[in-house]
Every structure is written in C-alpha cells, then in structure tokens.
Amino acid sequence: MSQTNRLSSGGLIDRRKPLSFQYNGKQYQGYEGDTLASALLANGVDIIGRSFKYSRPRGIVAAGAEEPNAVMQIGASEATQIPNVRATQQALYEGLVSSATNGWPNVDFDVMSYVGKIGGKMMPPGFYYKTFMWPQTMWPTYEKYIRKAAGLGRSSTMKDPDQYDTLNHHCDVMIVGAGPTGLAAARAAAATGARVIIADEQEMFGGSLLSSRELINGKPAIDWVRTVVDELSANPDVVMLPRSTVNGYHDHNFVTIHERRADHIGDRAPVGMTRQRMHRVRAHWVVLATGAQERPLVFAHNDVPGVMLASAVTTYIERFGVVPGNELVLMTSNDDAYLTALSWASTGRKVVAVVDSRAKADGDLVKQVIDKGIRVIFGSAVYDVDGGTRVKAARISGLTADGKKLTGKSETLSCDTIASSGGWSPVVHLSCHTGSRPVWDDNIIGFVPGETQQKQLIAGGIRGHYDLLDCLTEGMNCGYVAAERSGYGPVGKRPEYKVARIRRSPAMPLFLVPHLKPISQAPKQFVDLQNDVTSAGIELATREGFESIEHVKRYTAMGFGTDQGKLGNINGMAITAQVLGKSIAETGTTVFRPNYTPITFGAIAGRNCGELFDAKRYSAMQPWHEENGALFEDVGQWKRPWYFPKSGETMQQSLNREVLAVRNSVGILDASTLGKIDIQGKDAREFLARVYTNAWAKLGVGKCRYGLMCKEDGMVFDDGVTSCLAENHFLMTTTTGGAARVLEWLELYHQTEWPELEVYMTSVTDHWATMTISGPNSRKLLAQLTDDIDLDKDTFKFMDWRPGTVAGVPARVFRISFTGELSYEINVSANHGLQVWKKLMEVGKQYDITPYGTETMHVLRAEKGFIIVGQDTDSTLTPYDLGMGWAVAPTKPFSFIGKRGMAREDAVKPNRKQLVGLMAKKPDVVIPEGSQAVANPNQPIPMTMLGHITSSYYSATLGRSIAMGLIRGGLDRMGETVYYPQADGSVIEAEICSPVFYDPKGDRQNV
Amino acid sequence: MLHIFCPHCGEYREEEEFRCKGQAHIARPLDPEACSDEEWGHFMFFRQNTRGQHRELWVHSTGCRKHFNVIRNTVTYEIEKVYLVGTKPETEGAAS
Ligand SMILES: [Zn+2]
C-alpha cells in the first residue's frame, strides 16, 4: 500500500524506519513517529467508524485527545485487546493490529445505514429517559441491538498478560503539559532546585511547537524544545513523564497520572517492564499548562469524512508529513486558522478558498495568505457539505455581521477537505475537578478556569493566551512563583525569550453556522460527533423544557461519550444559549470530572490484583488444615476451615460426622480468628461495665463471662467472652469479623467520652493460636497433655480459665463452650500453635479426635440456640428481642451504652421481631435461610411478612432439621404455626419453639 | 484525597490512613436516663449538614489509632484547623 498522502520530506517522522500495521484486516505502512491516525491518513483511509446513532460514516477529525470518531480496538491477540483507544493518541509500532470500534458488519458497508433512519427515530434526544418508558421487558433486546450496532469496543475475555503498577511521589512543582508554557515553567522551577514533575499526554514534549514554524531566539521552535528537554533530563530533581496523561486533579493538590510506558512499543510490554503506571503525586504547587483545543464550527453535514479541525490539518502536515486531502476549503472565524492554509499551500496541494465569517481581517497571517494569491472570501461561511463518504464540495453563502443569518448568494466550492475553526477552547478540565466552575471570557471567546482553593497556577493557553511569547513568559513566571512558594529561589538571572509577535485581528464569536432552513428543518448539524447530538436535538431539548445546561447535557447525552465532549460541549452550550436567547455566560457550562481521558482497568488495579488483590489472613495451623483436606470459608480476610471432608463424603455427610464426633467423643476447632483485645488499667473493669450490657464488678480473677455489646440505640452489635486475667487485666474476645470495629469503637469511647478512665487496649488477635477441644472426652484428652492444671470439675469449673502448660508450652486454658459440650479453649503463642495442635491430634487419636470447621460449629451452636452476631442479628435487635434479657444488668450504676436506647418507646413496643426457634413440620425439610414467614400462605400478594429465617441446618444430633429466625412477637407465640412460601410456589410449614433444641439445662457443658 | 495532619503523629499523612467519624463535639449526655426519647434521638441521629466550616471527628485508624478534631470546609474541602479532643478553639464563622 502506498502512502498517497505522505509528503516526501518534513515532519518529525523517520522515513528510514517504516512500520507495518494492520487496520480492519488490511496491511498498511507508516513510519516511526506516526500515530495510528496519521498513518491511516497517510494511507488515504477516510472512514474509520460509523456513528453511534445514525450510523453515518465518520473520519478522523482531530489530532489529539479530543478526537471523537477514531476510537479503535487495539490488540494482536485476544489477551491483549484494548478497547476505546483514540487513534490520535496511539503511537504506531511494528505489527500494530487495530480495528474500527464502530461499524457492523464493517465500516465501509454498514447494515445500519439502511436502517439508519429507523435508528435515528428510535433514538431521539432524551433517548435514555424515554426508553425507560417502553416496556421494560424489551430493554434487553434494545440494549443488545444498540450495543452491537454502535459498538462500544470490547475488553478481552482472557487474563491480561501485562503488569501494571503504581508509583507515589511528592514534589514541589507539578507541571501539567509540556508545550511552550509547561516547558518554560519546568525550566524555571527546576533552576531553583525545586523537585519538579512535568507530564504530557503526547509521545514527545513540545505541544504546539511540534507543528509550529515559529522561531524562538532566532531558531526553529523544535530546537528550543530539544534544548530544554536535554537540560531537564540532566537534572536529577526533574521527573519527566511523556505519554502520561494527568487525568485527575484531586483535593489538596493530589494529582493522578496515567503513564503509558509500553503502549508505543508493541502489543505486549517488554519483559521486565510494566505496561502502564499510575502516578499518585502530592504536589506543593501545580502549574496547569494544558493549553487549548480548537473548536470546530457547526454546520450542516459537518460530519462527512474530510471535515477536520484546522489545527489538526496543520499538525498532520507539519509534524507527520501527511496532507489529508487534495483540495482544501478552510472555514474560520479567526486568524490562527490561516496557518492551515499556509501549511497546505506549502505542500503544493490546492487551497480552494479561505472562507472567513468576519467582514474583514488584516492580521499578519491573513496578509500572508492573501499574498500567496489564495482566494479569501470574507463575510461568508460554509453552511452545508456535499458528499457521503468523503467531502465533495462546500456550500458557502454570505453571512450577516452577527452570524445569525445567511445573506446573499450561495456558491458551491469543489473540494475534498474542509478544515474549520471556531477559535480555541482552553483545556479547563483539570481545573474543574475539585469543584471550581469555569468562567466565560468574552475577550477570548472561551471558558477559563474559575477560582480555586488549590495551590494552582495557570499559564498560557488555558488562560486564553495563545501568543507564543506570552506563553513562554507566563510559563516561566509561574514556574518561578510555584518554586518560590514551595520554598526555593529566588533566581537572579532569568532567561530571555525572543519571539516575533504575530499581529492578529479580532476573532468573531461564531459557533453554529446558520442554514437556509431553520435549525429544526436543516440537515443535521452535528455538535457532539461521538454521541450524534445535533443542534436540532439541543433545540428540541430546550423546547421540551430542559433549559438548564446540565439538563440539556443529560437529555441529549451531549458529552457522554469516551471523549467527554471535548470537541462539542462548548458549541453545545453556545447553541443552547442561542436558542434560549441568553448569553453563554448566563447559560454557563457543565463541569468536567476525572478522568480527563479513559484509563485502563489495568492501570487502576496496578499490582492489586490476583493474589495481591486483598490480604489473606491464616491461622498458625493453616498448613495442617491444608494437608488434611479442609475446605475454606472467607470470614473477613481470614481463611477459616469450613469442614474437613473425607473421600466420598457429601458435605452433609461430613457435617453429620463432625457434629456427632463432638457430641459423642471429642472434636477440635481452630478458633484463632476470634478477635482478642488485651485490656489493662486500673479502670479496666469500670470500662467493661460501661461497654457491655451486663455486670462486671464481681468477675474474679480466673473467671470468664459472656457479654453483649450494643450501640447507643440499644441494638446488639457484637458479643464475646471476656476473662479476668488479673485484677486490672482482662482479655476480651470479639467476633472474627468485628475485631477491628470493636477496638476502634472502644477507643472512640475512651478517647472522646471517658478520657479520665485509665485503660489501655491492644489487639492481640494474631499473637495467640486458639484451639477448642469440645466433647465428653475433652477433659481426658487435656489431662494427658498437662500436669500443672488441675482439671477437677469442681476446681476448674465451667466459665473458669487457668494458666499452665499444655503439650509443654505455656498456655491459657478457658473452660467455655460454644457447642454446649464440655469444652476447653487452649490458647498458646501463635508460634507454638501448629506444634500443640499436632500434639492434640496425636494424643487425641485414641478418642478419634475429629477436626471440625465453621459449618459444623454453626450447627452445634444452633442446636444450643447460641446466636451469631451478624447472622441472627442485623442491628435492629435488642438483647430482649434475642431472648437474652439475662445478659442485661439494668441496675448497674453507670448508664451503660445501649441502656437508654433499648428503653426507647420503639424498642419496647409489643410485637417487635424476636428471635425464636423454628421446627419444620416435616423434619427432613431444611427451611432455606432468608425465607419469609407469613401467617397465612393463601393471603394475596403482597403478604404480611412476620420475619425471616436467620439460621437453618440439618441437626445430626437430633436427626431432624432445626432453624432460628425472627418472628413478630415470637417469644409469646410458642407452639404457633407459621408458613414459609418458597420461590417455587411450595410452602414450608413450621412451628415456633424455643431456640434451645438440645440439652436446655446445660448439663453437658457443666459436667 | 485529603492530606491530613495528625496532631498525635505530628505529620501529614494520606486520607487512606484515616477514617472520618462524623460531626465532632456530639457529647454523650451525662445522665442518659434523664433524657426524653426525643432528646436521646437527637443525640443519636441528628447531625448538621453544614455548608462551610464543619467540625469533624477523625481517627488515624491505620496509624496511631488516636482521635482528633478537624475543621473542614465542606465547600472547598480545605482543612482549616486540626485540634485535640477535649479542646474547641474558636474560629471565625465556624458552626458550633
Ligand atoms: Zn496519628
């Protein structure tokens, strides 16, 4: 394939390094230094997609981040697919594989173009909202159709083979943008010794200078760029980030930068290199030198391939040596765009005419164009375009001085390219990210950043200052100021910049070129090319009453695409203002939010994926659990053994075996994950009395007690056993999931409400390995492993604890029980956990000691009616609702947390939901957890719901199913029948009973 | 992301290390039993929705675990003051 539009010389590409690439299955060639967009244009590829709504052919419009059409799917293999890449920002590399995102079945022959009119009618402005008025059942059909037709790109279905990472920085001066302004700022700040980071989204630094013919200090601008880049590179305090988009500007000068480290190299990052990196920068001062983007003019059929931004055409010619057509008509409202005519003419191709909306203009660039003999037509505008898949002609007409009406005769100018310029829009996006609203400035015909709280300076194009000398000077000044305010400088001798000023005649505020017909009847005048928003759509929105710019945006979906309206939004606001008869300043603008351009999930995730996605916590006995075939359950970050299946067992069979082993002999549970908080201080006991609902005054050394914790509203939020280790020393246990929450809550009360109490709290969860042996043989087993703890039943009673030695290791043994059986919780230092566990298993063999997991523990405790906070409770239940009024001591002197709350009118009203036991009438039916209880299953829907099942199991001990659940007024409804209708239409009948299904007197744990 | 000065650690740390515990200076009534249901409801549930200077309680949860107060402007997100629990410096225009 020949590069028909490539010039033989000029530009910053390297013609000695040809690169071949694939686009839509065809091979093409470009050069090193090309973007995918410039290479496609060099090859004369006109159509690079189909539009979202009307399926119209679209071509490349811009040369940077604002490109709305050339949104590509990149990737040579399934694993390396990247959707939504702007071809204008993708560097060409050897072997690049790309395809158009939009267009089905292909961009050149599109089924949708035949039904385009239907598509258009189906998706009027307000589409998203009106659609939801349609039958909901149809929505999946529409969505499928729309997605397929519009094509929003697709992500890989395979694991991304590349790595991504994150880097945190601090710096003194963060400079965003490395055009003339940013480079001058970086140079100045770096000269003071400040730590500087300068980032730019483009492949190389230089910004507008990369396609400029201006001279700085008498030399080509690109030479100055190279000098400054070399100078900064040599400075160890300067971090230079090309290919790095500053995507977010967050509170307190926190900046997020998306660096594409290897996307320009190949389909995959080289070995040992991350593909992309997210920089998180905290800067003392930020200099925004983001420049400006050119605004296209809006006219009928302005979306036909071949209609481009004037400055983009210049960039393709000057930087890439590509002329994207043969015959140019330039449409402008300002002087700057005349550069495009000069560039085009210099290639030897034809400039048909410059159509200038202004009655006259005599700036330097205008004169140069006229001097070249190029036809300039003042007081006129391109109002319509001929052509379908490529521009064939521009229709021009005279324009009234206010730009509101066409006047005089029309003329048709044959051409294949129309470059348009409506002036510049400062890139204010980042300045908006922390809430600052842009302000309209009539002088520069654009929005500039509003006031901000950030330590932020703005310079150059973002302020609407486009003269090169102004940019360099402002950039330099801001660089010095930012550095000085960060504590550096001042610097004595400042560099001097000599640049010839270009005299410009005033620009004209023009956004929408009127048509012969009114807006609603004129051919489509596109405002937002990516979302197919037209001026008629905006007018319709305002006519339907959406007059606020935020409403217009949402109603029309203007700026909703991956380009976020970079090209179209200002025109849309101007057109809204025009149809409302208001000024742009009155209409205002929508604000921009992070991110400036789309970021890959890889860069967001960084290293936090796979094994590193979340921390995993294991107990000291994990190796044994794994060796012995445990299946694991996630409890917070903990991995807990769920149950230990033997070969050939179903889950239920395993649970039955484990349950019966505990009831009949002895089982062993790893309970290390329970939260443990060491509490010391002379007021520790008083503190406990205030945070627990029950009494602690008389708990002696060597004793343990179960307690409930409530929030101030009187609702249970955690529970556990606390033991008195010494007079001023306690060990509190919490639920596994609640450990951190409880500690922070205790600290909150201590630090803010009762700082006078002398009490110290430390988490010791990880310090101890806890193994619970439970069952009638547990005492015998323990006796074989300790010789210094008296296990006599009358000496070491239920709810006692003893220090001593177990398996030769110092231990604390707690005689507490969550199963209802005789149980001992053996705590040893975590480092000894595995060894003691193994010893227990070895010695316990004679009792057929059986390891059990959380699921069996749940069954065992449910047989006893013991609650699990968070499963049987949900922050709406008082201790009384749980039938646990025995754990509340209302006569305690201090009004403990929860006491006042549980006495509120609502908390004591009758008919509250209360926790009860439930027995299915058919003993083999396990009622699904979450099932809703009703009194009458034949009541028409919606039925009156009485509560729901919170815990439900098959109990091997009882040979039947058991359940716990909430029932309105349940504690007074023992023996009554309730019904649990199921999704499949069946109904489970159950009887309300006590939740204590087994050994209600507690004989077994007291033996 | 906020940059927060922990008065206990004596340095600026990233917001990720902290947790906001809501409006500051919500004192637990000394005699809860003397409160009406309405008063207790106010203590538990009612909070200001301040535009501007807002006194907040924060905890350096993954740092020193200590609580402290800040005055944060809810419009600009600027942290105008950081002070210890048990103190309440006057500031211009701060909501109480
Ligand atoms: Zn701290």
Side-chain angles (χ1 to χ4, degrees):
Chain A
M1 276 273 180
S2 58
Q3 300 184 43
T4 53
N5 285 333
R6 183 79 71 179
L7 297 171
S8 55
S9 65
L12 300 176
I13 45 154
D14 189 343
R15 288 176 179 76
R16 290 164 305 178
K17 292 182 182 159
L19 302 172
S20 53
F21 69 101
Q22 204 183 91
Y23 168 68
N24 279 355
K26 281 189 203 161
Q27 290 295 326
Y28 297 90
Q29 209 172 68
Y31 294 120
E32 190 169 299
D34 262 327
T35 62
L36 176 55
S38 66
L40 286 168
L41 287 171
N43 285 280
V45 175
D46 290 337
I47 305 172
I48 44 69
R50 290 271 167 179
S51 76
F52 172 64
K53 200 159 103 181
Y54 302 111
S55 195
R56 292 168 63 90
R58 291 284 162 80
I60 294 165
V61 170
E66 69 274 35
E67 172 60 38
N69 294 336
V71 174
M72 299 291 178
Q73 184 83 23
I74 306 278
S77 68
E78 177 59 28
T80 52
Q81 290 298 309
I82 315 173
N84 293 326
V85 177
R86 290 156 305 286
T88 50
Q89 293 192 294
Q90 173 63 54
L92 198 66
Y93 56 78
E94 177 61 33
L96 183 147
V97 177
S98 63
S99 57
T101 295
N102 289 319
W104 161 64
N106 70 58
V107 293
D108 296 318
F109 177 80
D110 194 324
V111 170
M112 278 288 283
S113 62
Y114 291 93
V115 293
K117 279 189 180 131
I118 301 167
K121 283 227 175 72
M122 280 178 66
M123 295 163 76
F127 161 74
Y128 292 105
Y129 302 97
K130 287 174 177 169
T131 299
F132 293 115
M133 308 284 282
W134 297 358
Q136 200 186 346
T137 49
M138 282 300 284
W139 175 240
T141 312
Y142 298 139
E143 192 182 12
K144 197 171 153 192
Y145 164 76
I146 293 160
R147 278 186 181 276
K148 185 165 186 189
L152 298 171
R154 62 179 195 88
S155 42
S156 166
T157 53
M158 292 168 69
K159 189 171 148 54
D160 190 330
D162 284 315
Q163 282 200 321
Y164 302 78
D165 69 1
T166 304
L167 200 57
N168 296 302
H169 308 254
H170 291 266
C171 72
D172 297 305
V173 182
M174 170 76 225
I175 293 160
V176 186
T181 314
L183 286 174
R187 194 184 196 195
T192 68
R195 291 170 305 161
V196 175
I197 299 178
I198 177 167
D200 193 286
E201 63 184 353
Q202 296 208 51
E203 291 296 310
M204 52 173 90
F205 282 6
S208 61
L209 299 180
L210 298 173
S211 46
S212 170
R213 293 189 175 186
E214 287 187 76
L215 303 178
I216 298 176
N217 298 339
K219 289 183 186 160
I222 190 69
D223 291 353
W224 179 81
V225 171
R226 287 178 180 137
T227 306
V228 176
V229 166
D230 288 348
E231 188 183 307
L232 295 174
S233 305
N235 186 331
D237 288 325
V238 177
V239 174
M240 298 166 78
L241 299 172
R243 301 180 197 93
S244 301
T245 308
V246 177
N247 266 305
Y249 187 6
H250 311 272
D251 295 302
H252 300 185
N253 265 12
F254 184 69
V255 169
T256 44
I257 308 172
H258 179 208
E259 182 189 11
R260 296 166 297 280
R261 306 185 71 211
D263 290 46
H264 63 296
I265 298 174
D267 195 50
R268 277 198 60 181
V271 175
M273 184 175 180
T274 53
R275 184 184 186 106
Q276 298 179 355
R277 173 175 286 167
M278 189 74 88
H279 297 263
R280 295 151 41 103
V281 178
R282 185 73 73 176
H284 283 135
W285 279 85
V286 168
V287 177
L288 295 182
T290 50
Q293 280 159 348
E294 194 167 32
R295 203 160 53 227
L297 287 163
V298 177
F299 44 87
H301 295 127
N302 57 335
D303 68 326
V304 175
V307 179
M308 298 176 73
L309 281 177
S311 62
V313 171
T314 308
T315 297
Y316 286 118
I317 295 171
E318 300 291 340
R319 178 168 164 193
F320 299 106
V322 173
V323 201
N326 289 303
E327 297 179 316
L328 173 76
V329 167
L330 174 69
M331 166 69 220
T332 181
S333 63
N334 59 78
D335 276 21
D336 284 331
Y338 279 74
L339 279 170
T340 307
L342 293 170
S343 286
W344 192 284
S346 75
T347 69
R349 299 197 187 185
K350 188 177 174 189
V351 178
V352 178
V354 176
V355 183
D356 192 323
S357 62
R358 298 170 294 180
K360 68 177 174 64
D362 56 1
D364 293 344
L365 297 170
V366 179
K367 280 183 188 159
Q368 285 180 43
V369 167
I370 292 172
D371 287 350
K372 285 212 183 299
I374 295 169
R375 182 183 174 200
V376 178
I377 310 168
F378 287 110
S380 295
V382 173
Y383 69 89
D384 204 342
V385 178
D386 289 354
T389 55
R390 177 80 198 195
V391 171
K392 289 204 172 88
R395 291 179 183 245
I396 70 166
S397 166
L399 189 69
T400 54
D402 63 359
K404 296 273 169 63
K405 278 204 183 76
L406 296 182
T407 175
K409 279 198 305 185
S410 294
E411 185 182 345
T412 301
L413 301 174
S414 238
C415 61
D416 65 0
T417 306
I418 299 172
S420 95
S421 173
W424 301 98
S425 294
V427 179
V428 299
H429 301 65
L430 292 174
S431 76
C432 298
H433 286 181
T434 53
S436 168
R437 279 198 170 262
V439 182
W440 180 257
D441 183 344
D442 275 327
N443 294 320
I444 65 134
I445 315 174
F447 284 97
V448 293
E451 292 210 352
T452 182
Q453 291 297 318
Q454 302 273 28
K455 290 178 175 168
Q456 164 202 302
L457 300 169
I458 53 175
I462 190 175
R463 298 180 65 185
H465 299 170
Y466 306 124
D467 184 84
L468 179 54
L469 185 57
D470 290 343
C471 290
L472 292 168
T473 312
E474 272 178 29
M476 177 178 71
N477 291 339
C478 283
Y480 284 128
V481 171
E484 277 175 31
R485 289 183 186 172
S486 305
Y488 296 84
V491 164
K493 192 167 173 289
R494 301 184 169 202
E496 215 174 297
Y497 294 116
K498 290 201 187 78
V499 180
R501 280 199 186 272
I502 298 172
R503 205 180 58 81
R504 292 171 169 86
S505 31
M508 170 179 172
L510 182 66
F511 306 94
L512 171 65
V513 177
H515 196 268
L516 300 166
K517 296 174 180 169
I519 289 178
S520 57
Q521 290 163 31
K524 290 187 171 59
Q525 301 162 317
F526 287 94
V527 176
D528 176 336
L529 289 164
Q530 197 172 88
N531 276 347
D532 270 354
V533 178
T534 62
S535 56
I538 293 172
E539 193 190 47
L540 176 66
T542 59
R543 213 163 57 225
E544 294 194 0
F546 296 88
E547 297 189 352
S548 148
I549 191 65
E550 296 284 356
H551 291 162
V552 170
K553 171 183 167 177
R554 282 157 183 80
Y555 191 76
T556 60
M558 178 174 79
F560 271 41
T562 57
D563 64 336
Q564 292 284 289
K566 291 184 179 66
L567 208 59
N569 269 13
I570 307 297
N571 280 330
M573 288 153 203
I575 292 166
T576 306
Q578 185 185 323
V579 297
L580 291 173
K582 290 182 178 174
S583 71
I584 298 174
E586 285 170 322
T587 308
T589 173
T590 57
V591 294
F592 302 97
R593 296 185 179 83
N595 290 307
Y596 177 68
T597 47
I599 295 182
T600 61
F601 280 113
I604 293 168
R607 292 289 170 114
N608 301 319
C609 54
E611 277 297 296
L612 300 178
F613 178 67
D614 196 11
K616 291 186 185 72
R617 299 176 76 182
Y618 301 106
S619 84
M621 286 79 90
Q622 179 71 12
W624 192 93
H625 301 327
E626 285 176 11
E627 277 166 31
N628 287 273
L631 297 181
F632 292 91
E633 179 186 30
D634 289 344
V635 183
Q637 291 173 325
W638 287 102
K639 300 288 169 192
R640 297 196 68 180
W642 189 22
Y643 61 101
F644 292 82
K646 287 191 171 171
S647 71
E649 275 182 349
T650 64
M651 179 175 177
Q652 190 60 55
Q653 285 166 343
S654 303
L655 299 182
N656 294 351
R657 175 178 51 75
E658 291 177 10
V659 165
L660 292 174
V662 172
R663 295 283 178 227
N664 297 328
S665 180
V666 62
I668 182 165
L669 173 81
D670 182 351
S672 306
T673 64
L674 278 185
K676 292 177 275 294
I677 301 170
D678 189 275
I679 302 177
Q680 302 189 33
K682 72 175 171 55
D683 297 314
R685 188 181 295 273
E686 170 62 19
F687 187 77
L688 290 175
R690 295 182 184 192
V691 300
Y692 273 126
T693 59
N694 50 347
W696 294 84
K698 291 179 183 143
L699 187 74
V701 176
K703 298 281 179 191
C704 315
R705 183 165 291 171
Y706 173 82
L708 286 175
M709 284 172 179
C710 294
K711 289 280 176 83
E712 294 285 10
D713 59 6
M715 305 301 158
V716 171
F717 98 102
D718 210 274
D719 70 344
V721 170
T722 291
S723 308
C724 184
L725 301 181
E727 183 43 36
N728 295 325
H729 189 184
F730 295 83
L731 182 75
M732 174 186 281
T733 62
T734 70
T735 58
T736 296
R741 188 164 64 224
V742 169
L743 179 59
E744 193 172 305
W745 179 78
L746 297 175
E747 289 284 5
L748 172 71
Y749 271 86
H750 178 228
Q751 291 175 32
T752 64
E753 295 293 345
W754 312 314
E756 70 281 6
L757 296 185
E758 191 187 321
V759 55
Y760 308 91
M761 287 156 282
T762 307
S763 168
V764 293
T765 303
D766 296 280
H767 304 40
W768 297 91
T770 305
M771 42 215 100
T772 303
I773 51 172
S774 187
N777 286 323
S778 55
R779 183 181 285 131
K780 277 189 259 175
L781 169 59
L782 183 56
Q784 286 169 259
L785 287 164
T786 181
D787 48 18
D788 58 356
I789 302 176
D790 181 357
L791 297 178
D792 182 82
K793 69 182 169 64
D794 297 320
T795 318
F796 189 176
K797 292 190 198 135
F798 180 57
M799 298 309 278
D800 284 352
W801 80 274
R802 294 288 177 268
T805 309
V806 175
V809 169
R812 290 172 180 164
V813 180
F814 300 80
R815 193 180 157 190
I816 55 181
S817 178
F818 198 39
T819 63
E821 296 297 330
L822 173 68
S823 299
Y824 296 92
E825 263 189 20
I826 302 159
N827 283 253
V828 298
S829 85
N831 289 343
H832 290 120
L834 185 58
Q835 146 194 358
V836 174
W837 178 279
K838 284 180 175 168
K839 193 78 189 167
L840 284 163
M841 293 307 300
E842 183 193 318
V843 177
K845 222 174 249 170
Q846 58 192 299
Y847 307 109
D848 196 18
I849 187 169
T850 302
Y852 65 98
T854 50
E855 193 63 23
T856 297
M857 175 189 82
H858 283 193
V859 178
L860 291 165
R861 64 88 203 180
E863 290 173 348
K864 287 289 294 177
F866 295 144
I867 61 161
I868 287 185
V869 170
Q871 175 163 345
D872 300 300
T873 70
D874 60 0
S875 302
T876 67
L877 301 169
T878 67
Y880 298 103
D881 296 334
L882 294 167
M884 295 171 79
W886 52 265
V888 184
T891 56
K892 282 197 287 185
F894 192 89
S895 183
F896 60 86
I897 299 171
K899 181 182 179 185
R900 181 63 190 86
M902 63 182 80
R904 279 177 307 141
E905 186 186 346
D906 186 65
V908 297
K909 72 177 182 198
N911 219 27
R912 283 178 62 82
K913 285 183 183 171
Q914 292 164 330
L915 189 72
V916 293
L918 292 144
M919 283 212 271
K921 295 269 166 93
K922 292 180 183 161
D924 56 332
V925 173
V926 178
I927 314 171
E929 287 175 359
S931 297
Q932 294 286 333
V934 300
N936 173 11
N938 299 315
Q939 187 187 357
I941 292 170
M943 299 185 194
T944 311
M945 290 180 284
L946 303 176
H948 67 278
I949 297 288
T950 59
S951 293
S952 189
Y953 312 95
Y954 179 78
S955 160
T957 310
L958 302 169
R960 60 152 301 136
S961 68
I962 55 168
M964 293 159 77
L966 301 177
I967 296 288
R968 285 205 177 278
L971 292 172
D972 296 325
R973 300 178 64 172
M974 293 296 150
E976 289 184 26
T977 298
V978 286
Y979 301 87
Y980 292 92
Q982 300 300 304
D984 66 1
S986 66
V987 174
I988 299 171
E989 207 177 334
E991 186 183 312
I992 302 173
C993 60
S994 158
V996 187
F997 297 94
Y998 184 64
D999 185 27
K1001 289 190 186 143
D1003 296 335
R1004 301 180 66 87
Q1005 67 196 13
N1006 287 316
V1007 291
Chain B
M1 190 164 66
L2 305 183
H3 207 207
I4 301 171
F5 184 83
C6 173
H8 303 286
C9 293
E11 59 183 71
Y12 280 95
R13 308 292 299 178
E14 299 294 327
E15 185 181 342
E16 291 160 332
E17 296 186 7
F18 299 86
R19 294 224 306 216
C20 182
K21 308 295 285 186
Q23 189 182 330
H25 306 294
I26 306 288
R28 185 174 198 260
L30 289 175
D31 187 359
E33 269 30 71
C35 292
S36 67
D37 275 7
E38 191 178 342
E39 285 164 345
W40 194 252
H42 267 272
F43 158 66
M44 284 194 297
F45 303 124
F46 282 69
R47 299 294 181 266
Q48 289 164 352
N49 186 14
T50 306
R51 182 181 167 83
Q53 290 187 327
H54 188 233
R55 292 179 187 268
E56 292 170 343
L57 180 65
W58 285 72
V59 59
H60 195 181
S61 45
T62 62
C64 63
R65 277 177 25 208
K66 293 248 183 187
H67 292 74
F68 57 94
N69 294 320
V70 305
I71 298 176
R72 185 179 63 92
N73 189 309
T74 59
V75 179
T76 64
Y77 284 26
E78 285 303 296
I79 292 178
E80 298 172 9
K81 211 171 228 94
V82 174
Y83 58 98
L84 297 177
V85 169
T87 64
K88 190 175 179 186
E90 293 295 320
T91 88
E92 274 171 49
S96 56

